[in-house]
Amino acid sequence: MHTEKLSVSLPVPIIQFVEQYQKNHQCKNRAVVIKEALELLRQRELEQAYREASREVDPIWEVAIADGFDNETW
């Protein structure tokens, strides 16, 4: 996996949380903690996108349900 170095400035309480999390969960370094946090944010965004997509109405599917396909057992 290709990586790139990134420098960020964070408030002291956030840094303290990251360091405490690193210690409590025996993470190799602070970058691991930050990466895990960003993966959770990405997952949350993906879940939101799926929720929004599931609310979209597909007229063809609605016709299929009206035909009784919603009660099929496979």
Side-chain angles (χ1 to χ4, degrees), residues 20-54:
Q20 190 63 46
Y21 187 94
Q22 177 188 354
K23 179 182 172 185
N24 291 344
H25 297 274
Q26 292 138 6
C27 297
K28 183 178 177 181
N29 53 43
R30 294 185 293 187
V32 171
V33 177
I34 302 298
K35 181 179 179 240
E36 187 174 323
L38 292 172
E39 288 293 337
L40 287 170
L41 282 173
R42 182 166 48 179
Q43 180 180 348
R44 187 171 71 181
E45 290 287 317
L46 183 59
E47 288 171 358
Q48 179 63 31
Y50 278 125
R51 276 193 293 277
E52 289 174 10
S54 72

Side-chain angles (χ1 to χ4, degrees), residues 1-28:
M1 175 162 131
H2 174 75
T3 62
E4 188 173 324
K5 187 172 183 168
L6 176 69
S7 177
V8 297
S9 298
L10 299 170
V12 172
I14 300 294
I15 293 172
Q16 291 170 338
F17 173 80
V18 167
E19 290 174 345
Q20 190 63 46
Y21 187 94
Q22 177 188 354
K23 179 182 172 185
N24 291 344
H25 297 274
Q26 292 138 6
C27 297
K28 183 178 177 181

